[in-house]
Amino acid sequence: MFSYAVNVTLLEWYTDYGLPSPHYDNLLASLFALCLALGIPGNIISFTFFCTSGRKDLPALLYTLACGIDLATSIVHLPVMISLFNNRHHGFYDNVVFCAVWYAVFEYLQRI
């Protein structure tokens, strides 16, 4: 199915599934914004707490890593949110280097 999704052109996707609704895009972007508004400050506070706590045991290390991964996962969705708020305008995704780096980071974070 993944290879089929890669080979489908954008026009075929719109023909099969209809045009994306701006209402759903705004709803999804608003949910991303809410997750970012809660996730970034909360994970920064947690990350700094576990880094400055002075504990060097395994649970503190695991919590620090989990906070760092959650923080990176929150930040990586920022370009998607911006694109959805701008009626799916490419924005950052016009840059090929950004797309390659964003894809690699996104895939890596999803596998952790």
Side-chain angles (χ1 to χ4, degrees):
M1 182 166 154
F2 182 73
S3 63
Y4 174 75
V6 171
N7 293 329
V8 172
T9 64
L10 190 59
L11 183 60
E12 290 173 356
W13 185 81
Y14 283 153
T15 305
D16 291 342
Y17 297 106
L19 293 173
S21 170
H23 300 294
Y24 291 126
D25 287 350
N26 288 333
L27 176 65
L28 185 60
S30 299
L31 291 174
F32 276 140
L34 179 65
C35 290
L36 286 171
L38 296 175
I40 291 176
N43 283 308
I44 287 174
I45 291 169
S46 300
F47 186 80
T48 55
F49 171 77
F50 286 113
C51 284
T52 60
S53 69
R55 293 177 48 192
K56 301 296 179 194
D57 56 349
L58 183 61
L61 175 66
L62 291 176
Y63 280 122
T64 305
L65 289 174
C67 291
I69 292 168
D70 287 344
L71 180 63
T73 303
S74 295
I75 292 171
V76 83
H77 285 90
L78 184 64
V80 178
M81 181 193 72
I82 292 171
S83 176
L84 289 172
F85 273 134
N86 288 331
N87 295 324
R88 296 190 181 209
H89 187 273
H90 300 264
F92 294 114
Y93 296 111
D94 279 340
N95 187 343
V96 176
V97 174
F98 175 80
C99 283
V101 171
W102 182 88
Y103 179 75
V105 169
F106 187 78
E107 285 294 317
Y108 179 73
L109 287 171
Q110 297 303 314
R111 292 171 192 245
I112 291 182

